Amino acid sequence: MMNRWRRTFFAASLILVSAGCTHKPGAVAALKPTGFGAALVESSGGKQIGPTGMVLAQPLVVQVNDEQGTAVTGALVEFSGPAGASFDPPSGLTDSSGQLSTNVALGGTAGRYQFAARTSTKAQKSVELKIEEIALGYQEQVGFQLDSKYCARCHDPESTPERVSNHDNLEVKPHPFTEGDTLNKMSDAELIAIIGHGGPALNKSALMPPYGYTLSKTEIEALIAYIRLISDPPYHASGMVYAQK
Ligand code: HEC
C-alpha cells in the first residue's frame, strides 16, 4: 500500500481528550527492558490527519527489531512530541510480536507534527524513529468536509464504505490533494481559478467542474488551506510544529 496521508479521522475519533491529564508524572517509572533491538520501524498509524486536540483514529504502532530484522520482545520504547500533544501510553515494552501501540492526541495548534519514538541498543545507543501526523485547525476542517462532500469522489482514488471513487472512470486523472509534487506548483490564484471556474480556466479538462456558484469565497479558501496543509512533500508556507528534543 502507498504511504499516503490518511483521511480516516472523522470515522472513529470524536473523543475529546484532555491532553496531558491522563498521565500523572511518575506513573511510567520503572519500566525495565528485558530485550534490546537495533532498529525501530513504523508498523502503522503514521501520516494520519486529524482535528487539533483530538485522538487520532488509528493507534501508532512501532516495532523493535534486532540486527537480523527479527522482532524483539520486552524492548523499551519512549514516545515524544511537541508541547500539547500526548501519548497514551507515553512509553512501554514491546509485546511478543516486537510491537508497542500508543494512542496519539494532537495538540491544539494546527500544523504538521513531528513525533519521535526511541529505543536503545544493548550498548545504550539510542535509536530514533520519526513519525509525522497532521492536525487540522478549524478552517482546514471545513476544507476537509467540503472535500469529502464535493471533491473526493474524483480526487481520491480510494473508495470508502460511504463513497465509491469515480477516479478510475475519468479519462483525465485528477490528483489526490496530498500530491504536493503537482499541487505545490500551483499558486493560490491558480487554485482559486480552477476551483471557481473549472478545468478550462487553466486550459485543463472540463471534467474538472466549476464550483464558483456552489461554494463561497470563504469555502474555497478553506479548501485551499486544507490542500496546502496535507500536501506531501509539504507546501513551503504550511505550518510546521517540531518535536521537542
Ligand atoms: C467530476 C470529477 C471531479 C470533481 C468532483 C472535482 N474534480 Fe478537480 N479535477 C478533476 C479532473 C479530471 C482534473 C484534472 C484536469 C486536467 O488535468 O486536465 C481536476 C483537477 C483539479 C485541480 C488541479 C490539480 C489536479 O488535480 O490535476 C484542482 C486543484 C482541483 N481539481 C480541485 C478540485 C476541488 C477543490 C474539487 C471540489 C470542490 C474538485 N476538484 C472536484 C475532476 C474533478
Side-chain angles (χ1 to χ4, degrees):
M1 216 193 86
M2 268 192 300
N3 194 15
R4 287 210 297 119
W5 290 95
R6 312 267 299 270
R7 310 165 63 260
T8 57
F9 58 97
F10 281 110
S13 71
L14 288 178
I15 312 154
L16 197 58
V17 133
S18 47
C21 301
T22 43
H23 276 274
K24 293 175 190 72
V28 293
L31 273 176
K32 277 244 166 66
T34 56
F36 295 90
L40 196 50
V41 294
E42 181 191 318
S43 300
S44 62
K47 294 206 157 190
Q48 290 184 74
I49 299 171
T52 51
M54 299 284 181
V55 177
L56 288 171
Q58 319 284 328
L60 171 63
V61 184
V62 298
Q63 180 170 333
V64 177
N65 291 332
D66 66 14
E67 260 125 22
Q68 284 75 46
T70 309
V72 174
T73 305
L76 177 63
V77 177
E78 293 169 300
F79 298 100
S80 63
S86 65
F87 298 95
D88 184 17
S91 62
L93 300 179
T94 53
D95 63 15
S96 57
S97 49
Q99 296 188 333
L100 179 67
S101 173
T102 189
N103 292 303
V104 183
L106 298 168
T109 312
R112 305 171 83 99
Y113 280 67
Q114 261 196 18
F115 296 111
R118 274 187 206 88
T119 190
S120 48
T121 66
K122 207 159 199 168
Q124 305 274 303
K125 199 175 150 264
S126 175
V127 179
E128 189 184 273
L129 170 72
K130 285 203 158 61
I131 299 121
E132 231 191 356
E133 315 280 11
I134 289 180
L136 303 184
Y138 176 75
Q139 191 190 23
E140 294 88 8
Q141 285 175 52
V142 170
F144 166 81
Q145 277 157 349
L146 292 168
D147 172 24
S148 304
K149 189 166 173 193
Y150 295 107
C151 326
R153 68 191 166 90
C154 289
H155 279 267
D156 188 343
E158 279 166 49
S159 294
T160 65
E162 300 84 39
R163 164 180 59 72
V164 176
S165 177
N166 185 34
H167 182 269
D168 292 344
N169 302 327
L170 294 169
E171 229 163 89
V172 184
K173 302 292 176 219
H175 297 83
F177 294 145
T178 45
E179 277 189 20
D181 287 335
T182 298
L183 286 145
N184 290 349
K185 289 193 192 111
M186 298 180 73
S187 67
D188 285 3
E190 286 174 321
L191 292 181
I192 290 170
I194 195 169
I195 297 169
H197 304 293
L202 295 185
N203 288 320
K204 288 177 185 268
S205 166
L207 289 171
M208 166 61 201
Y211 287 91
Y213 297 103
T214 318
L215 301 175
S216 69
K217 186 168 171 278
T218 313
E219 287 174 318
I220 292 178
E221 282 165 4
L223 270 165
I224 294 173
Y226 169 72
I227 289 169
R228 295 309 195 196
L229 185 54
I230 64 168
S231 121
D232 187 15
Y235 182 63
H236 61 85
S238 72
M240 178 63 138
V241 184
Y242 293 99
Q244 65 202 17
K245 282 276 125 61

Short mmCIF file of all heavy atoms in Angstrom, two decimals, residues 148-189:
data_model
loop_
_atom_site.label_atom_id
_atom_site.label_comp_id
_atom_site.label_asym_id
_atom_site.label_seq_id
_atom_site.Cartn_x
_atom_site.Cartn_y
_atom_site.Cartn_z
N SER A 148 -14.68 16.15 1.23
CA SER A 148 -15.43 14.89 1.32
C SER A 148 -16.75 14.99 0.57
O SER A 148 -17.18 14.03 -0.06
CB SER A 148 -15.74 14.55 2.79
OG SER A 148 -14.56 14.51 3.53
N LYS A 149 -17.38 16.16 0.64
CA LYS A 149 -18.70 16.32 0.04
C LYS A 149 -18.62 16.49 -1.48
O LYS A 149 -19.40 15.91 -2.22
CB LYS A 149 -19.37 17.56 0.67
CG LYS A 149 -20.81 17.73 0.28
CD LYS A 149 -21.51 18.75 1.18
CE LYS A 149 -22.91 19.04 0.68
NZ LYS A 149 -23.48 20.23 1.34
N TYR A 150 -17.65 17.29 -1.96
CA TYR A 150 -17.67 17.67 -3.37
C TYR A 150 -16.53 17.08 -4.21
O TYR A 150 -16.69 16.88 -5.40
CB TYR A 150 -17.59 19.20 -3.51
CG TYR A 150 -18.77 19.93 -2.95
CD1 TYR A 150 -18.67 20.64 -1.76
CD2 TYR A 150 -20.00 19.90 -3.61
CE1 TYR A 150 -19.76 21.32 -1.24
CE2 TYR A 150 -21.10 20.57 -3.09
CZ TYR A 150 -20.97 21.29 -1.91
OH TYR A 150 -22.06 21.95 -1.41
N CYS A 151 -15.37 16.88 -3.64
CA CYS A 151 -14.18 16.64 -4.45
C CYS A 151 -13.66 15.20 -4.40
O CYS A 151 -13.16 14.68 -5.40
CB CYS A 151 -13.04 17.57 -4.03
SG CYS A 151 -13.55 19.20 -3.50
N ALA A 152 -13.76 14.59 -3.23
CA ALA A 152 -13.05 13.32 -3.01
C ALA A 152 -13.49 12.23 -3.98
O ALA A 152 -12.68 11.38 -4.36
CB ALA A 152 -13.24 12.87 -1.56
N ARG A 153 -14.75 12.25 -4.40
CA ARG A 153 -15.22 11.16 -5.28
C ARG A 153 -14.41 11.10 -6.57
O ARG A 153 -14.28 10.05 -7.18
CB ARG A 153 -16.71 11.28 -5.55
CG ARG A 153 -17.09 12.46 -6.39
CD ARG A 153 -18.61 12.67 -6.39
NE ARG A 153 -18.97 13.96 -6.91
CZ ARG A 153 -19.22 14.21 -8.20
NH1 ARG A 153 -19.13 13.24 -9.08
NH2 ARG A 153 -19.53 15.42 -8.60
N CYS A 154 -13.87 12.22 -7.02
CA CYS A 154 -13.00 12.20 -8.20
C CYS A 154 -11.51 12.27 -7.82
O CYS A 154 -10.69 11.64 -8.48
CB CYS A 154 -13.30 13.39 -9.10
SG CYS A 154 -14.88 13.27 -9.96
N HIS A 155 -11.18 13.03 -6.78
CA HIS A 155 -9.76 13.27 -6.50
C HIS A 155 -9.12 12.20 -5.64
O HIS A 155 -7.89 12.10 -5.59
CB HIS A 155 -9.57 14.65 -5.85
CG HIS A 155 -9.55 15.75 -6.86
ND1 HIS A 155 -8.39 16.23 -7.40
CD2 HIS A 155 -10.56 16.43 -7.47
CE1 HIS A 155 -8.68 17.18 -8.28
NE2 HIS A 155 -9.99 17.31 -8.35
N ASP A 156 -9.91 11.43 -4.90
CA ASP A 156 -9.34 10.38 -4.07
C ASP A 156 -9.56 9.04 -4.76
O ASP A 156 -10.69 8.60 -4.92
CB ASP A 156 -10.00 10.38 -2.69
CG ASP A 156 -9.31 9.43 -1.72
OD1 ASP A 156 -8.55 8.56 -2.19
OD2 ASP A 156 -9.55 9.56 -0.51
N PRO A 157 -8.49 8.39 -5.20
CA PRO A 157 -8.66 7.13 -5.93
C PRO A 157 -9.18 5.99 -5.05
O PRO A 157 -9.62 4.96 -5.57
CB PRO A 157 -7.25 6.81 -6.45
CG PRO A 157 -6.32 7.69 -5.69
CD PRO A 157 -7.10 8.82 -5.11
N GLU A 158 -9.13 6.15 -3.73
CA GLU A 158 -9.58 5.07 -2.86
C GLU A 158 -11.06 5.22 -2.51
O GLU A 158 -11.51 6.30 -2.15
CB GLU A 158 -8.76 5.04 -1.57
CG GLU A 158 -7.42 4.33 -1.76
CD GLU A 158 -6.46 4.60 -0.62
OE1 GLU A 158 -6.88 4.46 0.54
OE2 GLU A 158 -5.30 4.93 -0.91
N SER A 159 -11.80 4.13 -2.61
CA SER A 159 -13.20 4.15 -2.20
C SER A 159 -13.28 3.93 -0.69
O SER A 159 -12.40 3.35 -0.09
CB SER A 159 -13.97 3.05 -2.91
OG SER A 159 -14.02 3.31 -4.29
N THR A 160 -14.35 4.43 -0.09
CA THR A 160 -14.59 4.20 1.33
C THR A 160 -15.96 3.53 1.45
O THR A 160 -16.69 3.45 0.46
CB THR A 160 -14.63 5.54 2.10
OG1 THR A 160 -15.75 6.30 1.63
CG2 THR A 160 -13.36 6.36 1.88
N PRO A 161 -16.33 3.07 2.66
CA PRO A 161 -17.65 2.46 2.82
C PRO A 161 -18.78 3.42 2.40
O PRO A 161 -19.82 2.98 1.94
CB PRO A 161 -17.73 2.17 4.31
CG PRO A 161 -16.32 2.03 4.75
CD PRO A 161 -15.52 2.96 3.88
N GLU A 162 -18.57 4.74 2.55
CA GLU A 162 -19.63 5.71 2.24
C GLU A 162 -19.62 6.15 0.79
O GLU A 162 -20.58 6.73 0.31
CB GLU A 162 -19.49 6.98 3.09
CG GLU A 162 -19.55 6.78 4.60
CD GLU A 162 -18.20 6.39 5.19
OE1 GLU A 162 -17.18 6.94 4.73
OE2 GLU A 162 -18.16 5.52 6.07
N ARG A 163 -18.48 5.95 0.11
CA ARG A 163 -18.34 6.60 -1.18
C ARG A 163 -17.50 5.73 -2.12
O ARG A 163 -16.42 5.30 -1.80
CB ARG A 163 -17.63 7.95 -0.97
CG ARG A 163 -17.06 8.58 -2.20
CD ARG A 163 -16.39 9.88 -1.90
NE ARG A 163 -15.29 9.76 -0.94
CZ ARG A 163 -14.12 9.21 -1.20
NH1 ARG A 163 -13.86 8.69 -2.37
NH2 ARG A 163 -13.20 9.16 -0.27
N VAL A 164 -18.07 5.48 -3.32
CA VAL A 164 -17.31 4.75 -4.34
C VAL A 164 -16.53 5.77 -5.15
O VAL A 164 -17.08 6.76 -5.62
CB VAL A 164 -18.26 3.95 -5.25
CG1 VAL A 164 -17.48 3.26 -6.36
CG2 VAL A 164 -19.03 2.93 -4.44
N SER A 165 -15.25 5.55 -5.31
CA SER A 165 -14.43 6.51 -6.06
C SER A 165 -14.73 6.43 -7.54
O SER A 165 -14.86 5.36 -8.12
CB SER A 165 -12.95 6.25 -5.82
OG SER A 165 -12.20 7.17 -6.61
N ASN A 166 -14.82 7.61 -8.13
CA ASN A 166 -15.08 7.76 -9.56
C ASN A 166 -13.76 7.95 -10.32
O ASN A 166 -13.75 8.06 -11.54
CB ASN A 166 -15.99 9.01 -9.71
CG ASN A 166 -16.45 9.24 -11.12
OD1 ASN A 166 -16.68 8.27 -11.86
ND2 ASN A 166 -16.59 10.49 -11.52
N HIS A 167 -12.66 8.03 -9.57
CA HIS A 167 -11.35 8.41 -10.11
C HIS A 167 -10.95 7.58 -11.33
O HIS A 167 -10.55 8.11 -12.36
CB HIS A 167 -10.29 8.29 -9.00
CG HIS A 167 -8.91 8.69 -9.41
ND1 HIS A 167 -8.00 7.80 -9.94
CD2 HIS A 167 -8.29 9.89 -9.38
CE1 HIS A 167 -6.88 8.44 -10.21
NE2 HIS A 167 -7.02 9.71 -9.87
N ASP A 168 -11.09 6.26 -11.20
CA ASP A 168 -10.60 5.38 -12.26
C ASP A 168 -11.45 5.45 -13.53
O ASP A 168 -11.02 5.03 -14.59
CB ASP A 168 -10.50 3.94 -11.76
CG ASP A 168 -9.40 3.80 -10.70
OD1 ASP A 168 -8.55 4.73 -10.61
OD2 ASP A 168 -9.41 2.80 -9.97
N ASN A 169 -12.67 5.99 -13.42
CA ASN A 169 -13.51 6.13 -14.61
C ASN A 169 -13.21 7.38 -15.41
O ASN A 169 -13.69 7.53 -16.53
CB ASN A 169 -15.00 6.20 -14.20
CG ASN A 169 -15.42 4.97 -13.41
OD1 ASN A 169 -14.91 3.87 -13.65
ND2 ASN A 169 -16.31 5.16 -12.46
N LEU A 170 -12.43 8.29 -14.84
CA LEU A 170 -12.20 9.57 -15.51
C LEU A 170 -11.10 9.43 -16.56
O LEU A 170 -10.08 8.79 -16.33
CB LEU A 170 -11.79 10.63 -14.48
CG LEU A 170 -12.88 11.02 -13.47
CD1 LEU A 170 -12.29 11.85 -12.36
CD2 LEU A 170 -14.02 11.76 -14.16
N GLU A 171 -11.33 10.04 -17.69
CA GLU A 171 -10.38 9.96 -18.79
C GLU A 171 -9.09 10.71 -18.46
O GLU A 171 -8.01 10.29 -18.83
CB GLU A 171 -11.01 10.58 -20.04
CG GLU A 171 -10.88 9.71 -21.26
CD GLU A 171 -11.87 10.18 -22.31
OE1 GLU A 171 -11.47 11.04 -23.10
OE2 GLU A 171 -13.02 9.68 -22.31
N VAL A 172 -9.24 11.85 -17.80
CA VAL A 172 -8.08 12.61 -17.32
C VAL A 172 -8.06 12.42 -15.81
O VAL A 172 -9.08 12.60 -15.15
CB VAL A 172 -8.23 14.11 -17.65
CG1 VAL A 172 -6.98 14.86 -17.25
CG2 VAL A 172 -8.53 14.30 -19.12
N LYS A 173 -6.90 12.02 -15.27
CA LYS A 173 -6.87 11.69 -13.85
C LYS A 173 -6.57 12.91 -12.98
O LYS A 173 -5.50 13.52 -13.13
CB LYS A 173 -5.79 10.62 -13.56
CG LYS A 173 -5.96 9.33 -14.33
CD LYS A 173 -7.19 8.55 -13.88
CE LYS A 173 -7.38 7.31 -14.75
NZ LYS A 173 -8.80 7.05 -15.05
N PRO A 174 -7.50 13.26 -12.10
CA PRO A 174 -7.18 14.32 -11.14
C PRO A 174 -6.19 13.80 -10.09
O PRO A 174 -6.07 12.59 -9.91
CB PRO A 174 -8.53 14.63 -10.50
CG PRO A 174 -9.44 13.52 -10.85
CD PRO A 174 -8.82 12.68 -11.90
N HIS A 175 -5.52 14.71 -9.42
CA HIS A 175 -4.55 14.31 -8.40
C HIS A 175 -5.19 14.29 -7.02
O HIS A 175 -5.99 15.17 -6.71
CB HIS A 175 -3.36 15.27 -8.39
CG HIS A 175 -2.60 15.27 -9.67
ND1 HIS A 175 -2.99 16.00 -10.77
CD2 HIS A 175 -1.48 14.61 -10.03
CE1 HIS A 175 -2.14 15.78 -11.77
NE2 HIS A 175 -1.22 14.94 -11.34
N PRO A 176 -4.82 13.32 -6.19
CA PRO A 176 -5.21 13.41 -4.78
C PRO A 176 -4.60 14.69 -4.21
O PRO A 176 -3.51 15.09 -4.63
CB PRO A 176 -4.55 12.18 -4.14
CG PRO A 176 -4.28 11.24 -5.28
CD PRO A 176 -4.04 12.10 -6.48
N PHE A 177 -5.30 15.35 -3.29
CA PHE A 177 -4.83 16.64 -2.79
C PHE A 177 -3.55 16.53 -1.96
O PHE A 177 -2.94 17.53 -1.62
CB PHE A 177 -5.94 17.34 -2.00
CG PHE A 177 -7.12 17.72 -2.84
CD1 PHE A 177 -8.41 17.66 -2.35
CD2 PHE A 177 -6.94 18.13 -4.16
CE1 PHE A 177 -9.50 18.01 -3.13
CE2 PHE A 177 -8.02 18.48 -4.96
CZ PHE A 177 -9.30 18.42 -4.44
N THR A 178 -3.15 15.31 -1.63
CA THR A 178 -1.88 15.13 -0.92
C THR A 178 -0.69 15.23 -1.88
O THR A 178 0.44 15.32 -1.42
CB THR A 178 -1.84 13.74 -0.27
OG1 THR A 178 -2.31 12.79 -1.21
CG2 THR A 178 -2.69 13.70 0.98
N GLU A 179 -0.93 15.20 -3.18
CA GLU A 179 0.20 15.15 -4.13
C GLU A 179 0.86 16.49 -4.34
O GLU A 179 0.61 17.19 -5.34
CB GLU A 179 -0.25 14.51 -5.45
CG GLU A 179 -0.18 13.01 -5.30
CD GLU A 179 -0.37 12.25 -6.59
OE1 GLU A 179 -0.19 12.82 -7.69
OE2 GLU A 179 -0.71 11.08 -6.48
N GLY A 180 1.74 16.80 -3.40
CA GLY A 180 2.44 18.08 -3.42
C GLY A 180 3.26 18.31 -4.67
O GLY A 180 3.41 19.45 -5.11
N ASP A 181 3.78 17.24 -5.27
CA ASP A 181 4.61 17.42 -6.47
C ASP A 181 3.85 18.19 -7.54
O ASP A 181 4.44 18.95 -8.31
CB ASP A 181 5.06 16.06 -7.02
CG ASP A 181 6.14 15.44 -6.14
OD1 ASP A 181 6.84 16.22 -5.45
OD2 ASP A 181 6.25 14.21 -6.11
N THR A 182 2.56 17.99 -7.62
CA THR A 182 1.73 18.72 -8.58
C THR A 182 1.12 19.97 -7.96
O THR A 182 1.24 21.07 -8.50
CB THR A 182 0.59 17.81 -9.10
OG1 THR A 182 1.18 16.70 -9.76
CG2 THR A 182 -0.31 18.57 -10.05
N LEU A 183 0.48 19.82 -6.82
CA LEU A 183 -0.31 20.93 -6.27
C LEU A 183 0.55 22.07 -5.72
O LEU A 183 0.15 23.22 -5.78
CB LEU A 183 -1.28 20.40 -5.22
CG LEU A 183 -2.44 19.65 -5.91
CD1 LEU A 183 -2.94 18.47 -5.12
CD2 LEU A 183 -3.59 20.60 -6.23
N ASN A 184 1.75 21.75 -5.23
CA ASN A 184 2.61 22.83 -4.71
C ASN A 184 3.08 23.78 -5.81
O ASN A 184 3.49 24.90 -5.54
CB ASN A 184 3.85 22.25 -4.01
CG ASN A 184 3.48 21.57 -2.70
OD1 ASN A 184 2.36 21.70 -2.22
ND2 ASN A 184 4.42 20.83 -2.13
N LYS A 185 3.05 23.30 -7.06
CA LYS A 185 3.49 24.15 -8.18
C LYS A 185 2.40 25.13 -8.59
O LYS A 185 2.64 26.05 -9.36
CB LYS A 185 3.86 23.28 -9.38
CG LYS A 185 5.14 22.51 -9.15
CD LYS A 185 5.66 21.90 -10.45
CE LYS A 185 6.75 20.89 -10.17
NZ LYS A 185 6.29 19.51 -10.47
N MET A 186 1.19 24.92 -8.09
CA MET A 186 0.09 25.82 -8.43
C MET A 186 0.00 26.92 -7.38
O MET A 186 0.06 26.65 -6.18
CB MET A 186 -1.24 25.03 -8.50
CG MET A 186 -1.23 23.95 -9.57
SD MET A 186 -2.79 23.01 -9.65
CE MET A 186 -3.88 24.21 -10.41
N SER A 187 -0.17 28.16 -7.85
CA SER A 187 -0.31 29.29 -6.91
C SER A 187 -1.72 29.27 -6.32
O SER A 187 -2.62 28.59 -6.85
CB SER A 187 -0.08 30.59 -7.65
OG SER A 187 -1.13 30.78 -8.58
N ASP A 188 -1.92 30.02 -5.25
CA ASP A 188 -3.26 30.14 -4.68
C ASP A 188 -4.23 30.68 -5.72
O ASP A 188 -5.38 30.24 -5.82
CB ASP A 188 -3.25 31.08 -3.46
CG ASP A 188 -2.62 30.41 -2.23
OD1 ASP A 188 -2.15 29.25 -2.35
OD2 ASP A 188 -2.60 31.05 -1.17
N ALA A 189 -3.75 31.66 -6.53
CA ALA A 189 -4.62 32.25 -7.56
C ALA A 189 -5.04 31.19 -8.58
O ALA A 189 -6.19 31.17 -9.04
CB ALA A 189 -3.89 33.40 -8.26
#
